[in-house]
DNA sequence: CGATTTTGACCCGCGC
DNA sequence: GCGCGGGTCAAAATCG
């Protein structure tokens, strides 16, 4: 278990959210402002100081709330990590999604989810240009996204190259075909298509295993297995549920607080939902663009304040 | 200019 | 054998 990669739940910003602001610069500045305000000719400065003090209190309480939220998230993370360890130990001897490929055996269930019931017939896989799927792992990940967004990209940290798109008979939305382009000989393929029932749900089907390390190790699903650097980790996530291997991640950009309210669908057990939520949160904090945006927003507020 | 996406054509398995 | 449908190829277009 690569637990270290999961420990980064704090925001790695240049602005330290835990800095005791009341004790440092703001207090000195306020003292200076108030001293100057003793001058009867500077009533406006006094008013301004009062306003600033009020604003400072407000920001401080906001900061306190955020700190409490982070502490709460850490607690949840620890609980989920131990839960995950239990699951890992229980499932360590099981092999998931080792499915010989036979296309016609694929069908959809009532929820638009694909149910794999491949046979052992490997004779059907004779196309010379195709990869051998005899040992290919197949997993499926459902990602919630904006229904109006026509982009079929599912960001999982790997680098994908689209090589085809097709409208299938039982689904009006097109299915996109991707190949892993990070390593030249990587056999992994990915199919992405919107769910028939829920257009806001993207269903990504992965085939095969990566023959290289994860391009962004810090962004992967670190689930502690020996395969955490490849697609097997995704399979493991999916396979934690006994009957239907579905993981749904809520990636609608309504903020983490919103995700907390309605975080994940299709996964049994609130602790597991929280685990995925935690992972998403930690992935976001590792994203340089995300942290830069947060830093910009916070520093903007700080500049307004000074 | 190299990498990626788009998209029509083609290939191949399967059912009839 | 033929047609259908899913999957792939590859040239052209687009992007950064």
């Amino acid at each position: 278990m690569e637990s270290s990669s999961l420990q980064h739940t704090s925001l790695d910003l240049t602005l330290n959210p835990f800095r005791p602001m009341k004790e440092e610069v703001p207090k000195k500045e306020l003292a200076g402002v108030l001293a100057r305000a003793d001058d009867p000719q500077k009533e406006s400065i006094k008013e301004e100081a009062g306003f600033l003090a009020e604003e400072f209190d407000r920001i401080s309480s906001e900061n306190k709330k955020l700190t409490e939220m982070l502490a709460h998230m850490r607690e949840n993370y620890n609980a989920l990590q131990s839960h995950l360890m239990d699951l890992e130990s229980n499932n360590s001897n099981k092999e998931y999604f080792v499915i010989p490929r036979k296309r016609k055996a694929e069908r959809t269930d009532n929820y638009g989810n694909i149910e794999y019931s491949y046979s052992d017939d490997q004779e059907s896989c004779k196309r010379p240009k195709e990869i051998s799927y005899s040992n290919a792992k197949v997993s499926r990940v459902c990602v919630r996204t904006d229904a109006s967004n026509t982009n079929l990209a599912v960001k999982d940290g790997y680098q994908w190259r689209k090589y085809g798109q097709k409208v299938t008979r039982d689904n009006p939305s097109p299915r996109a075909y991707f190949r892993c382009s990070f390593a030249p000989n990587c056999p992994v393929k990915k199919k992405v298509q919107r769910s028939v029932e829920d257009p806001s749900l993207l269903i990504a089907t992965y085939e095969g295993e990566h023959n290289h390390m994860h391009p962004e190790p810090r962004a992967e699903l670190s689930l502690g297995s020996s395969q955490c650097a490849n697609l097997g980790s995704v399979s493991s996530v999916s396979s934690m549920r006994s009957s239907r291997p579905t993981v749904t991640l809520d990636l609608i950009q309504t903020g983490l607080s919103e995700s907390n309210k309605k975080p994940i669908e299709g996964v049994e057990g609130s602790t597991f939902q929280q685990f995925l939520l935690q992972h998403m949160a930690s992935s976001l904090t590792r994203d340089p663009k995300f942290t830069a945006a947060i830093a910009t927003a916070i520093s903007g507020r700080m500049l307004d304040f000074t």
Side-chain angles (χ1 to χ4, degrees):
Chain A
M1 171 115 194
E2 203 174 327
S3 60
S4 60
S5 63
L6 283 171
Q7 301 289 351
H8 300 285
T9 52
S10 62
L11 292 172
D12 184 18
L13 303 174
T14 52
L15 293 170
N16 186 352
F18 303 109
R19 189 178 64 187
M21 298 168 70
K22 262 185 177 174
E23 306 301 324
E24 293 179 358
V25 179
K27 195 171 186 178
K28 290 176 184 175
E29 287 176 354
L30 283 175
V33 169
L34 289 170
R36 289 194 301 273
D38 287 337
D39 188 342
Q41 296 179 344
K42 295 189 176 179
E43 280 296 321
S44 61
I45 292 178
K46 194 172 182 180
E47 285 175 17
E48 189 182 353
F51 170 76
L52 288 173
E54 203 172 288
E55 185 73 4
F56 180 73
D57 284 344
R58 192 183 63 77
I59 297 289
S60 295
S61 65
E62 204 172 310
N63 186 43
K64 191 179 175 184
K65 282 178 189 172
L66 286 169
T67 306
E68 286 170 1
M69 277 177 64
L70 189 60
H72 184 63
M73 287 176 75
R74 281 179 179 276
E75 282 176 23
N76 286 341
Y77 162 72
N78 288 332
L80 286 164
Q81 191 174 31
S82 60
H83 182 61
L84 179 65
M85 297 273 268
D86 292 343
L87 287 170
E88 286 288 330
S89 59
N90 290 338
N91 297 330
S92 59
N93 293 326
K94 298 176 183 176
E95 188 74 27
Y96 296 96
F97 299 106
V98 182
I99 304 167
R101 186 183 187 226
K102 189 178 181 182
R103 199 178 67 204
K104 284 293 176 178
E106 179 182 318
R107 67 180 194 278
T108 56
D109 64 15
N110 293 335
Y111 299 91
N113 295 327
I114 302 166
E115 293 178 352
Y116 292 96
S117 56
Y118 294 131
S119 74
D120 290 330
D121 181 11
Q122 295 180 20
E123 291 295 310
S124 62
C125 200
K126 288 181 177 174
R127 297 180 62 175
K129 288 179 182 178
E130 278 190 28
I131 319 155
S132 169
Y133 287 86
S134 58
N135 292 315
K137 291 192 175 185
V138 178
S139 64
R140 199 161 45 81
V141 177
C142 300
V143 179
R144 187 169 290 280
T145 180
D146 192 342
S148 62
N149 184 5
T150 56
N151 189 5
L152 288 173
V154 174
K155 290 179 182 176
D156 50 16
Y158 288 96
Q159 194 176 341
W160 300 96
R161 179 188 168 132
K162 188 177 182 180
Y163 66 90
Q165 181 164 313
K166 199 84 173 175
V167 176
T168 55
R169 200 182 53 164
D170 49 357
N171 193 335
S173 64
R175 175 183 296 173
Y177 299 89
F178 297 90
R179 237 192 286 268
C180 180
S181 62
F182 185 73
N185 296 322
C186 183
V188 177
K189 290 178 187 174
K190 177 170 81 168
K191 288 181 283 189
V192 181
Q193 189 172 29
R194 291 197 180 277
S195 169
V196 184
E197 273 73 21
D198 188 356
S200 66
L201 209 60
L202 282 179
I203 301 173
T205 306
Y206 294 85
E207 294 179 355
E209 288 183 83
H210 294 277
N211 59 5
H212 55 86
M213 297 301 288
H214 196 291
E216 298 176 43
R218 283 155 49 124
E220 69 187 304
L221 288 173
S222 302
L223 293 169
S225 75
S226 60
Q227 297 174 322
C228 64
N230 60 31
L231 190 64
S233 62
V234 179
S235 302
S236 299
V237 173
S238 304
S239 61
M240 282 178 185
R241 299 179 63 230
S242 57
S243 58
R244 178 162 291 142
T246 301
V247 173
T248 302
L249 304 176
D250 192 341
L251 294 183
I252 294 175
Q253 294 177 348
T254 52
L256 287 175
S257 58
E258 285 296 313
S259 301
N260 255 326
K261 291 171 190 168
K262 186 193 169 190
I264 291 161
E265 294 177 5
V267 178
E268 294 166 358
S270 61
T271 54
F272 189 61
Q273 292 179 6
Q274 288 174 15
F275 163 73
L276 289 173
L277 182 65
Q278 288 286 324
H279 173 74
M280 288 171 59
S282 62
S283 295
L284 278 174
T285 61
R286 291 172 207 155
D287 186 341
K289 289 178 182 174
F290 177 74
T291 51
I294 293 289
T296 304
I298 293 175
S299 57
R301 292 299 300 268
M302 300 287 278
L303 285 172
D304 290 344
F305 183 63
T306 54

